[in-house]
Structures are given as C-alpha cells and as structure tokens.
C-alpha cells in the first residue's frame, strides 16, 4: 500500500513529521502542582467556611418553611382578593427559590472550600475479583472520610435538615390536584334563570351590550349579567363565564348543523378560556379573524367555529349561543353546550353537542 507520512500518530505513541526523518514524541503533561487553599492551611478559615455552608443549608430550611407557611396559613377562599393571591404566589416562589438555591450553593461551596481537591489519575480497569470489589468499597469509604461529613456535624446536620424538608413543598402541592371538577366546568352563569335570559355585559363594569354597539371588526370582553352582584364565588364564576364577543361579516361564518342561530348578524361569542391549559385567549387579529392565546400561541379561527389551526390546544373554544332581547341588548339563549377550559377525565360525559 505504500509508506505514507502524513503527520499522524503511530503505534508507539509518536508522531512522524512529514518529509523528515525525525520523530517527535508526546510528552505526558502530568498533573499540575496542587495549590493549597486558605481553608487547607488556616483552621479559622476552614471553620468560617464550615459556618458559611451551614448558613446556606439553613437558608434552604427557612425557604421551605416560608413555602409551607404561605401555603397553609394564607387561606384562599372563593372571594379572596387579588392582592392576597399575589402575596401567596410571591411567597411560594420565594420559598421554593431559597429552598433549592440554599442546598445547591451550599453543596458547591462545601466542595470548593472544604473537600479535598487533589487531582488523581489512574488506569481504568474492570472490577472482577473480590479484592477489587473490596478496594472499591474502601475507595467509597475514603471519599466519605474526605468529605469531612463525619468530622463536621454542623454541616451534616444542616444538610440533613435541608434535604429532609425540601420534598415537603412538592408533597403539599399534590393537595391541589383535587377535588375532581365533576360537572362544575359544564355549568356557568350564562344559563337562564327562571326562564329569563342573561344579558351580555361588559367586563368589568357589567354594562349591558347592545348589538348596535358591536361594530364590524370590534371585540369585547364580556361577562354574564349579575356576575358583579355575587357575594360568594365571584372569581370562580368569572373564570368560567368570561367570553370574547366579536362581529364579522356574516358571509364569513360557517356554522355547523344545529348552530345556525348561535350568532346574531355576524356577532359571535366564544369562551375566553383556552382549551390547552386555561390561559385567557386575549388577542384578536381583525384581518385574519384569528384568536390567539399568548401563553403557548394556540390559534383559533373564528370563521371555522374557533377551530384550532396552530398550537398545542386540542379542541375549539366553546361557543356561547346569543341573540337579542326586545330592547336590542345581546343575551345568551343558553349556557355553553360543552365544558369550558382544558380537558379532564369526565369531560366527554358533559358534552351536549359533538365536537366540530
């Protein structure tokens, strides 16, 4: 095949230089000399570093306690103020951040300041014999000894406390997985009361909306009549009932059979709650007639009964059937015919119409 000198390594660990008879050998660079840290030579510095590590683990414990206090002590009822909800969310976030950050930074500082930092190299080989296994056990014991965890009870105890408390926030959050929604999302305040249809009103002041107020291309955020007068459960009802009201050219609408009278002169109303994870669908593109959810960019086409045309949402937005009363005000002729919001296990049991 010929003798090729291309500057590549040969079997002896050397490099042949092209066009030359000289051979350059690789030199083992070895391990750089070890540099002692301040904590290695000064007992006071080592003690100070130990207290710093313990302080960081203590911060983790405090963060966990902040989370638990915020979760259990701040009672969020159906009529809790927005400020109270924001306060709890802020404390939950701060507590979780300190809990995780304290453990992470504490371990890193412990390793950098107190644990041995000698670089060691050795040949890698398979562990096969009993002697090798015993040697591996001794290595593990040596590592534990080198960490100093047996000689530094302050670090050991604070670390154990931080690690023991860290999972508690996650366990507490599991409580929010229940109870099941059952049919709560299948019923809203749009349902007629004693045969009286609910007027469509502006959000948030509750002013009734006339059909003449909704001009071509306009959009309204709307709530059912009487929502603002509720003394209990106002936020929950609003979360389920809020709709987007828009007017299109009636020729652009393509209602499926059974929905021909759900719109009034091109005015349509759809649930504002995204069917992906429940974010508010708040953006209306007038030129394309698309509704956009800002959370994960799910896009719904108004001309196709809010069919999903992009994004992770799997179902169209539920449509609210509307008409006008004798005074020209928009009214809901019935409740939604399917549950609003994201999917849940029993959802299909509460659908009154087939998905379009």
């Amino acid at each position: 095949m010929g003798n090729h000198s291309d500057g590549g390594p040969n079997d002896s660990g050397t490099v042949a230089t092209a066009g030359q008879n000289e051979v350059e050998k690789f030199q083992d660079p070895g391990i750089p000399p070890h540099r002692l840290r301040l904590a290695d030579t000064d007992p006071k510095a080592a003690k100070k570093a130990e207290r710093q590590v313990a302080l960081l683990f203590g911060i983790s414990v405090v963060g966990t306690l902040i989370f638990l206090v915020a979760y259990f002590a701040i009672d969020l009822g159906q009529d809790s103020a927005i400020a109270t909800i924001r306060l709890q969310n802020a404390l939950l976030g701060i507590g979780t951040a300190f809990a995780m950050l304290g453990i992470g930074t504490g371990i890193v500082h412990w390793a950098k300041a107190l644990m041995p930092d000698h670089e060691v190299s050795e040949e890698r080989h398979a562990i096969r014999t009993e002697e090798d296994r015993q040697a591996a056990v001794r290595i593990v014991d040596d590592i534990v000894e080198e960490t100093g965890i047996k000689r530094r009870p302050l670090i050991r105890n604070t670390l154990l406390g931080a690690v023991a408390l860290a999972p508690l926030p996650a366990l507490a959050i599991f409580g929010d997985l229940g109870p099941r929604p059952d049919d709560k999302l299948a019923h809203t305040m749009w349902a007629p009361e004693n045969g009286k249809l609910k007027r469509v009103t502006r959000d948030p002041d509750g002013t009734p909306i006339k059909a003449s107020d909704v001009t071509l291309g306009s959009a309204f955020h709307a709530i059912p009549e009487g929502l603002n007068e509720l003394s209990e459960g106002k936020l929950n009802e609003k979360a389920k009932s809020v709709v987007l009201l828009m007017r299109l050219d009636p020729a652009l609408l393509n209602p499926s059979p059974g929905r021909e009278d759900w719109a009034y002169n091109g005015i349509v109303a759809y649930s504002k709650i995204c069917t992906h994870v429940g974010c508010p669908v708040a953006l209306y593109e007038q030129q394309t007639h698309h509704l956009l959810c800002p959370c994960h960019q799910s896009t719904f086409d108004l001309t196709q009964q809010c069919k999903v045309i992009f994004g992770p949402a799997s179902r169209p937005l539920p449509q609210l059937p509307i008409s006008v009363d004798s005074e020209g005000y928009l009214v809901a002729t019935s409740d939604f015919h399917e549950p609003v919001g994201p999917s849940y296990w029993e959802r299909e049991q509460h659908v009154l119409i087939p998905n379009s």
Side-chain angles (χ1 to χ4, degrees):
M1 296 295 292
N3 183 18
H4 298 278
S5 297
D6 56 1
N10 57 27
D11 293 339
S12 61
T14 62
V15 174
T17 305
Q20 299 180 2
N21 294 326
E22 298 180 358
V23 176
E24 296 180 1
K25 293 184 177 181
F26 285 116
Q27 297 296 326
D28 183 1
I31 297 175
H34 178 251
R35 297 175 59 184
L36 294 176
R37 301 162 299 185
L38 184 60
D40 296 329
T41 58
D42 186 353
K44 291 184 178 179
K47 197 65 178 178
K48 180 180 179 181
E50 181 179 353
R51 289 194 296 268
Q52 290 172 342
V53 173
L55 175 62
L56 291 170
F57 290 153
I59 289 175
S60 174
V61 173
V62 172
T64 301
L65 295 177
I66 290 175
F67 180 97
L68 295 176
V69 170
Y71 188 85
F72 291 106
I74 300 179
D75 184 22
L76 295 183
Q78 292 186 346
D79 300 306
S80 298
I82 294 295
T84 304
I85 298 174
R86 289 176 176 173
L87 173 63
Q88 188 192 55
N89 287 339
L91 292 177
L92 293 178
I94 291 172
T96 302
F98 277 108
M100 298 296 102
L101 191 64
I103 290 180
T105 54
I107 291 176
V108 170
H109 187 47
W110 181 13
K112 285 184 171 292
L114 296 173
M115 292 185 186
D117 63 342
H118 293 81
E119 294 187 19
V120 179
S121 64
E122 63 179 353
E123 293 293 331
R124 184 175 181 179
H125 57 86
I127 299 178
R128 297 177 180 175
T129 65
E130 181 63 28
E131 290 77 9
D132 290 333
R133 283 192 285 270
Q134 292 296 330
V137 172
R138 288 194 296 272
I139 290 174
V140 173
D141 292 338
D142 291 341
I143 292 174
V144 173
E145 182 63 29
E146 289 178 353
T147 62
I149 195 169
K150 294 181 179 179
R151 296 180 287 104
R152 303 183 189 277
L154 181 60
I155 289 180
R156 181 188 66 230
N157 295 337
T158 51
L159 173 61
L160 291 176
V163 172
L165 292 178
L168 294 182
L171 295 176
I173 290 176
F174 280 125
D176 285 339
L177 296 179
R180 293 182 176 182
D182 296 325
D183 63 346
K184 295 183 180 67
L185 297 178
H187 305 288
T188 71
M189 281 193 64
W190 291 111
E193 287 186 4
N194 300 321
K196 181 182 178 182
L197 303 182
K198 296 286 186 68
R199 283 180 173 177
V200 181
T201 66
R202 287 179 173 85
D203 181 22
D205 58 22
T207 305
I209 302 174
K210 284 190 172 183
S212 57
D213 297 333
V214 187
T215 58
L216 195 65
S218 63
F220 289 79
H221 299 263
I223 54 177
E225 178 184 11
L227 177 64
N228 288 339
E229 283 70 45
L230 288 180
S231 58
E232 295 182 0
K234 178 179 177 180
L235 288 179
N236 284 341
E237 288 299 332
K238 182 174 182 178
K240 296 189 299 180
S241 303
V242 64
V243 298
L244 283 168
L245 191 71
M246 295 135 297
R247 188 169 206 153
L248 288 73
D249 183 346
L252 297 176
L253 300 178
N254 297 284
S256 59
R259 294 192 180 192
E260 293 87 354
D261 59 348
W262 285 21
Y264 179 79
N265 287 347
I267 302 175
V268 291
Y270 284 93
S271 172
K272 189 179 174 181
I273 310 305
C274 183
T275 55
H276 178 217
V277 292
C279 293
V281 179
L283 303 177
Y284 174 46
E285 297 178 347
Q286 180 181 351
Q287 299 300 321
T288 60
H289 310 299
H290 292 167
L291 293 176
L292 179 67
C293 177
C295 290
H296 307 100
Q297 287 71 56
S298 292
T299 306
F300 306 87
D301 189 351
L302 278 172
T303 64
Q304 302 183 59
Q305 299 178 152
C306 274
K307 176 183 176 181
V308 181
I309 59 173
F310 181 80
S314 59
R315 292 180 288 102
L317 296 174
Q319 184 177 2
L320 180 70
I322 59 173
S323 185
V324 294
D325 60 15
S326 58
E327 299 180 45
Y329 289 103
L330 291 169
V331 294
T333 58
S334 72
D335 200 351
F336 292 102
H337 286 227
E338 57 184 313
V340 299
S343 297
Y344 55 95
W345 289 113
E346 300 86 359
R347 181 184 180 278
E348 297 304 319
Q349 302 174 13
H350 306 132
V351 176
L352 302 180
I353 58 172
N355 290 331
S356 303

